[in-house]
Amino acid sequence: MSANTLTGIFAPGSPALLESLRTLVVVPPRIAEPGATVRAEFSFSNLGGAAATGVRVRFALPAGVTHVPHSDTVDDVALPGESESFVSQNGAPIGDVQPNESRRLSVSYRVNEAIEDGTTLPFQAAVTSDQLPIAASNIEELIVRSKPQLQGPGTFVSLSAPDRPKPGDLVTVRAAIVNSGASSAHDVMAILPVPEHATYVARSARVAGRPIPDHAGDPFDYVTGTIVAPRLAPRQSVVVEYQATIDAPLDDGTRMKVSGAVSSREVPEFALQSAEIVVVSPVDFSGEESAFTVFCDDAVTPGTRITMVVRAANVGSGTAAQVSVAFDLPDGLVFTPGSVVIDGQPVNDEAFTNHTFSIGAIASGRIMEVGVSAVVGVPPQSDLPLNVVARLRWKGGERQFSRRLTVRATPRFARARNFVEVEKRVAQAEEDVDFVIHLLNDGTAVDFGSRLRVLPGAYLTDLRIVDAGGEMAAYESPIDLGRVDPHVERLIRVRARVTPPVADRTTVGLGAILEQGESGIDLGVSSLVVRSRPHVGECSWELLSAERLRPNRTVDILLRIANDGSDVLREAHAFIELPSELVLERAQDARRDRSTLHFGDISAKTVHEARITLRLTRARSGEGTLSVAATLYGRAVTPVPFPMLDLPTEAHASFEESSLLRSVPGENVDAGERIVYELQLRNAGDGPASQLTVRGVPSNLTVYVPGTTTVNGLPVNDEVGASALWSQRGLVLTDIDPAVDVRVRWEMAVVTPLSAGTPIEARAVLTWDEDRSHAVVSPTLTVVSTPSLAATTFGNGISIAQTIAQARPEPEPQAAWETTAAPEEAPPPPPEAAPFPPALVEIFERAHAAMAPPDSAEEAPAGEPVAQTEVVPAFESAPVVAESSVAEAPFGYIDFAPDRLARMLRMLEQLRVSGMLVHLFAIRRFFPETIVGADPDLDAAFKSENRAMQATLDRLFVRLRIPRYTLTAKDLEDRDMRVGLRQLVTRLLGAPFALPMEPAAGMLRLGGPIDLDHLRALSPELDSAPLGSAAPWSVAAAMLGTTIAFDGKQSSVLERYRSELIEAFSTLRTLPMEEFHRVLRDSANRALDDSLANVIETLRTAAHIAAD
Amino acid sequence: MLPTNFDAVALFVIGLAALVTGILLPSRAASWTTLVHPSARRLDEATRRDLIVRLGIAGTPWCEAILEEAAKQETSSSMQSLVHRALEECSLRNVSP
């Protein structure tokens, strides 16, 4: 670069020029403002002597200013040339300067509008010429003073929202900040808090479109102080924005705006405000939640209390103000004071004036309920409509609700005031009874068309009815009541007759029903008690056969009992007084119990007929008459006697058919030998022989052996050394019952010598009933040399006239012991006084006497020892012959040693059971162990049955001690017991008949003939009756003994007990199983218990004797 | 130390045995009655005494078997003697019926 060229000076980085001329002046001095005009003036002089040519001047153009065009002047003259300027790179030529000539140059600058504060503007001028190097002026520096400008129209805040903003809508808050100043603004801060009623939307803040972290929530709140621009240059702007939601609920018309502020380091805070938006927030009661509820059916009845509730639910977003509820109650619906409730709480009626209640405000989402009650009044007509209206009002709106009701008025017949009443509480049968039916319509309307139906109960007939003021007429069908006004009582009288038969104290009633169309009202029943009683109008009997009754034959008698009373004749029974010859064998349509016939209950106005069968057991010989009497008893009647009934009888004895004379030996006899004759007589007729005379026909081939005549084993005294058979009077026997066997035995000695082959026969003539006789011939004996045998027999109950005493009466059951012909107490009586008992007991007595020690025989009268010595050994040594000739049934027995007897008694005493159970144990303990003459099979059958019975009953004996033990069929019988009993009965029916031997010394025996007829009749039941029934016990009872024999004494108390048992079980057999068990457990039979007590007492006495 | 531990163990065993005896034996003592009948449970002493007497009186093999079981289960001396008397009664009877 040349030294006088101006190009290259004032360039950035070039070295500063030496200030050689200090003529540069700048106006204004030192300070300049943006946009201001700065005038620089430079002057110099050619102090030399030569003209300076090619002078060029250049002014510096600092950054921050601009040259003002055409402002260059030379000596106040504008620089020529359009394009010349002192600020050009090469300056501008000003021509030549002559010596001592001066020049003054000026140029104008303008400071930039945007220039940072403090900027230094250095001004300098330089001049050069062709001859001179560059001479620089002084440097004048100006300091620029400028500042930023944020507040202005470009800086604003806005709130953007939908057209009709409402709660919940999204709004945008946006602020634009513009620096309209000359310098930059530093640390520009925007404060834009979230407007009221709005909530900042998280992470929605943006600065210049970029999100900013906002962990602390609203980033533009006062406390946040977020700097949105560290430096905002002039003419620059920044946009800040975030989003928020409008709060809900919110009042309608709420205004929202944004108030904020902007500041920077250079610019103090100034406020900004946005325009307001108006939030639309309506009240809404139109939803289903708001309702009017009337708690009743559409049809209501007068008097009904109706509760009405208006439910106001503000489902809008705004708060409803001035809310009120008004009820329009129609006529006929009367408000109930004190019934107003708000949300369930009662409210003073003063707050409900004009049926309107002011609620006040209801915020959004709140619900309120207003309820009142009203009563339906009595309408003038039925089916009256009621329009109930409720109005819900609030500021700016109203909603109306309505409900239509219909009032139904009906007649009513309340049960309390509509009933049937009887005039008297007790009436007799066949009496008229009056009932009064009370009718009262206590409803709200007149009743038409109701009908009254009368319902007579049992025993009420002949109904008659009368309405008020009318005449009584027969009631046949429901009567029409016509018009029934409300609250006017009507009385209707009904008369009825109590018709028998009717039980005493029967309650009879009459009911009524008020029929209304298809429905009916029960008026109830009124009852009364009827007194009624039976009455026996006829009590008779009739003999159904005109023939005379023969022994062992039966006759049927028809009994007729008429109950013409009005009640049932209960427990009707007749006690029949039968003569001893008659036995009540069976009854039809009546149950017999000994001598009593039970007819059960006989209905009123009926005749009960029963048929009984009487059997004539024995009768006097010839024709006779037996009288039968009876008396009828029953509940509620006095005893009524039957007329006496005469029963003609007829009986005859007969000995022709079964009389036999036989001898021992039977075919041959040796001379001098004895022949034993036995005349076997049997009364084959049906009547007793009052007297039978037996006469023997003497023979010259035989001689009577004195003292050998016996009748049924009893010796008969000879008369003057000869048998009574050959006396003039004969052997007279009296009172020989039918079927009674008589064996007359005597011995004859064959005269000797007698030639062999001589026939010997014997004859006897029988005479009875004065006019009847029969001769009996023995088989013919042939005389040979053979021995003869003697035999003796026992007979049945007969007596020998004048020689044999009357049969001893049967001992009383209560008498424990009666002494028989014990050797030391009663020696064998003489034949005239010898007892001849009719029963087997007495035979046993005789056997006992016959088995007495020989010393008793020695005490017998003289002339009798042969007979005595023959009888006793015959019984002992030939029991089969003796038994087969006299026993009528198998003789069963059980023997007790003292300790066994004591144990049995202890067990019976330990029982302590109620009812009839004790008798089962008694049967088991008294049950025979065998029979006389039993074969091994029968013996085993007895043992088996005893074992089975013992196993069953001993278990029961123990179990009965268990508290509240329930009796079952298994406790009474098991299969072994049944099988054993069946086998035993089968064998017994074919068992031999034999008389017993006396029990061993110290042993007690229960024994007697087994009732085979009973067994035979009952044995089929053993196959059919279920286990645990009464049948086996009835069978077992028939096997019990009849006598108790001990120590030469005997008692027949057991026989009575057995009879009672058989009779009791014959009744129990007819009962169903359960009933049988119940009777066993709960019922007592006094007679049976007494009989058992007698037996036990007798056994106990024997036990004491044994112990002693 | 060893004797002390042994005593504690012994005491525990004795206590446990007494507890077991106290808990189990009373229930076992009445169980023989169910042999008489399944419904006969938890009978009091008076009833059990009567049952024993009755079993002795009846004296069948069935009774004898139950009495033998009762002899095992009854613990009191009076009941034991009663059972033995009943058993003697049974045996006497079986010897001399």
Side-chain angles (χ1 to χ4, degrees), chain A residues 903 906 911 957 959 961, chain B residues 36 50 54 60 89 93:
Chain A
R903 196 163 57 244
R906 190 172 159 213
L911 268 176
F957 166 64
R959 285 174 176 169
R961 183 56 186 89
Chain B
V36 176
D50 284 356
R54 283 179 178 235
T60 59
E89 206 170 351
R93 190 162 327 132

Side-chain angles (χ1 to χ4, degrees), chain A residues 59-138:
Chain A
F59 279 78
L61 182 62
V65 296
T66 57
H67 172 248
V68 177
H70 309 295
S71 62
D72 301 350
T73 63
V74 179
D75 293 332
D76 298 328
V77 177
L79 187 67
E82 287 292 325
S83 59
E84 294 293 337
S85 173
F86 292 124
V87 297
S88 298
Q89 205 168 21
N90 198 25
I94 62 173
D96 298 337
V97 177
Q98 300 302 316
N100 294 323
E101 220 176 44
S102 299
R103 296 284 189 269
R104 186 171 51 93
L105 308 171
S106 63
V107 64
S108 293
Y109 301 89
R110 186 178 301 276
V111 181
N112 292 344
E113 289 295 330
I115 184 169
E116 298 296 332
D117 185 34
T119 302
T120 301
L121 300 176
F123 292 96
Q124 192 172 28
V127 60
T128 186
S129 67
D130 296 337
Q131 299 84 15
L132 294 176
I134 297 172
S137 71
N138 60 316

Side-chain angles (χ1 to χ4, degrees), chain A residues 473-740:
Chain A
Y475 174 83
E476 295 174 350
S477 59
I479 62 170
D480 191 350
L481 295 175
R483 176 188 177 96
V484 182
D485 292 317
H487 300 286
V488 178
E489 185 178 32
R490 282 174 70 174
L491 300 178
I492 298 174
R493 182 175 295 274
V494 179
R495 184 168 294 164
R497 171 160 297 173
V498 180
T499 305
V502 55
D504 188 29
R505 296 188 187 280
T506 298
T507 299
V508 298
L510 181 136
I513 292 177
L514 189 65
E515 296 181 343
Q516 293 178 318
E518 296 297 324
S519 63
I521 299 172
D522 184 6
L523 303 183
V525 176
S526 186
S527 304
L528 69 148
V529 175
V530 177
R531 296 308 309 265
S532 175
R533 60 175 299 191
H535 179 261
V536 179
E538 181 188 358
C539 191
S540 63
W541 44 14
E542 179 185 344
L543 206 54
L544 296 180
S545 172
E547 296 179 0
R548 287 185 174 276
L549 184 59
R550 304 294 297 264
N552 288 324
R553 299 293 177 85
T554 60
V555 63
D556 288 345
I557 299 172
L558 180 67
L559 283 77
R560 187 175 290 111
I561 301 161
N563 176 12
D564 59 359
S566 55
D567 192 6
V568 176
L569 173 57
R570 300 192 182 281
E571 299 176 13
H573 60 281
F575 178 72
I576 301 180
E577 300 172 43
L578 292 174
S580 60
E581 294 87 349
L582 288 173
V583 172
L584 179 58
E585 186 159 288
R586 59 178 175 270
Q588 188 177 346
D589 295 328
R591 181 174 59 82
R592 67 189 173 96
D593 179 11
R594 300 182 191 175
S595 299
T596 305
L597 287 173
H598 295 274
F599 305 107
D601 296 344
I602 300 176
S603 303
K605 307 295 182 188
T606 61
V607 176
H608 182 82
E609 289 186 349
R611 185 186 296 251
I612 61 173
T613 302
L614 298 182
R615 179 178 291 279
L616 182 62
T617 56
R618 56 191 170 83
R620 291 180 183 174
S621 203
E623 296 182 351
T625 301
L626 295 174
S627 296
V628 181
T631 307
L632 179 72
Y633 298 89
R635 282 172 59 178
V637 294
T638 53
V640 181
F642 281 70
M644 191 68 76
L645 178 67
D646 291 333
L647 204 60
T649 62
E650 183 179 358
H652 296 287
S654 175
F655 294 94
E656 292 95 336
E657 298 88 348
S658 56
S659 299
L660 174 66
L661 181 57
R662 60 175 189 164
S663 63
V664 177
E667 295 180 354
N668 301 307
V669 67
D670 198 0
E673 192 182 3
R674 289 187 180 186
I675 305 172
V676 178
Y677 283 102
E678 184 179 81
L679 176 59
Q680 296 180 355
L681 301 174
R682 183 183 182 86
N683 183 359
D686 56 5
S690 58
Q691 179 172 302
L692 171 66
T693 303
V694 183
R695 289 190 180 88
V697 178
S699 167
N700 54 358
L701 298 178
T702 56
V703 177
Y704 171 69
V705 178
T708 58
T709 304
T710 63
V711 175
N712 283 1
L714 289 180
V716 178
N717 288 349
D718 292 343
E719 294 180 6
V720 197
S723 173
L725 290 166
W726 289 275
S727 69
Q728 186 177 0
R729 192 164 55 93
L731 178 61
V732 180
L733 307 175
T734 60
D735 298 333
I736 304 173
D737 291 333
V740 167

Side-chain angles (χ1 to χ4, degrees), chain A residues 874-956:
Chain A
F875 183 78
E876 287 185 337
S877 60
V880 175
V881 175
E883 288 158 8
S884 63
S885 61
V886 297
E888 294 178 332
F891 191 94
Y893 66 94
I894 176 171
D895 288 343
F896 289 91
D899 58 339
R900 187 185 187 194
L901 178 61
R903 196 163 57 244
M904 177 188 74
L905 287 171
R906 190 172 159 213
M907 195 221 76
L908 291 175
E909 288 161 357
Q910 278 277 345
L911 268 176
R912 295 199 294 269
V913 295
S914 60
M916 296 179 64
L917 276 172
V918 67
H919 299 290
L920 303 190
F921 289 94
I923 291 173
R924 176 260 173 279
R925 291 291 172 178
F926 301 159
F927 197 71
E929 287 184 332
T930 187
I931 66 165
V932 176
D935 57 23
D937 289 343
L938 185 54
D939 232 6
F942 264 110
K943 282 190 175 65
S944 172
E945 177 58 13
N946 263 296
R947 265 198 308 274
M949 200 183 292
Q950 181 185 13
T952 301
L953 281 198
D954 281 357
R955 267 199 301 272
L956 178 60

Side-chain angles (χ1 to χ4, degrees), chain A residues 182-473:
Chain A
S183 64
S184 298
H186 295 88
D187 296 338
V188 179
M189 184 179 295
I191 298 172
L192 294 171
V194 177
E196 192 179 2
H197 309 303
T199 303
Y200 171 71
V201 177
R203 293 181 292 278
S204 63
R206 301 284 189 277
V207 174
R210 292 189 298 273
I212 61 171
D214 56 355
H215 301 298
D218 180 5
F220 304 116
D221 199 6
Y222 299 115
V223 296
T224 309
T226 302
I227 295 174
V228 299
R231 177 177 173 274
L232 186 62
R235 310 295 179 215
Q236 282 190 333
S237 65
V238 63
V239 176
V240 176
E241 63 182 0
Y242 64 87
Q243 290 181 323
T245 53
I246 303 174
D247 292 342
L250 197 63
D251 291 345
D252 188 29
T254 300
R255 295 176 178 276
M256 293 179 62
K257 65 179 180 180
V258 180
S259 296
V262 174
S263 66
S264 71
R265 199 186 308 161
E266 299 83 2
V267 180
E269 176 183 309
F270 61 92
L272 291 176
Q273 275 196 343
S274 70
E276 286 183 335
I277 61 171
V278 180
V279 179
V280 178
S281 182
V283 175
D284 188 357
F285 288 102
S286 61
E288 291 182 353
E289 293 86 348
S290 297
F292 176 46
T293 306
V294 180
F295 291 94
C296 65
D297 295 335
D298 288 342
V300 294
T301 57
T304 303
R305 181 186 170 111
I306 299 172
T307 300
M308 298 165 283
V309 175
V310 171
R311 189 169 186 267
N314 182 5
V315 296
S317 56
T319 299
Q322 300 175 13
V323 180
S324 66
V325 175
F327 294 90
D328 294 341
L329 300 181
D331 293 340
L333 196 59
V334 183
F335 166 67
T336 303
S339 65
V340 183
V341 291
I342 303 293
D343 287 343
Q345 291 297 314
V347 176
N348 194 319
D349 286 345
E350 291 179 359
F352 193 62
T353 53
N354 296 325
H355 299 167
T356 302
F357 185 84
S358 297
I359 297 174
I362 299 179
S364 171
R366 289 283 308 279
I367 298 173
M368 292 198 75
E369 284 188 349
V370 178
V372 297
S373 295
V375 177
V376 179
V378 178
Q381 64 185 40
S382 186
D383 295 337
L384 183 71
L386 293 177
N387 290 318
V388 186
V389 177
R391 289 185 175 83
L392 174 65
R393 296 191 182 97
W394 65 94
K395 184 180 180 181
E398 175 181 314
R399 183 175 177 186
Q400 178 173 313
F401 307 91
S402 67
R403 171 87 182 269
R404 180 187 177 88
L405 306 176
T406 304
V407 182
R408 295 278 165 78
T410 58
R412 194 185 76 147
F413 294 88
R415 179 69 180 84
R417 302 180 71 178
N418 292 271
F419 55 91
V420 183
E421 184 181 30
V422 65
E423 288 203 335
K424 55 183 180 180
R425 295 292 176 184
V426 179
Q428 302 295 324
E430 299 185 87
E431 187 181 0
D432 282 348
V433 183
D434 280 2
F435 296 86
V436 178
I437 300 173
H438 296 253
L439 292 175
L440 178 68
N441 174 10
D442 60 351
T444 53
V446 178
D447 180 69
F448 294 98
S450 292
R451 291 151 61 86
L452 180 66
R453 180 183 290 275
V454 178
L455 302 173
Y459 310 113
L460 289 180
T461 59
D462 190 18
L463 260 64
R464 287 146 286 166
I465 191 166
V466 59
D467 202 348
E471 292 184 357
M472 188 158 284

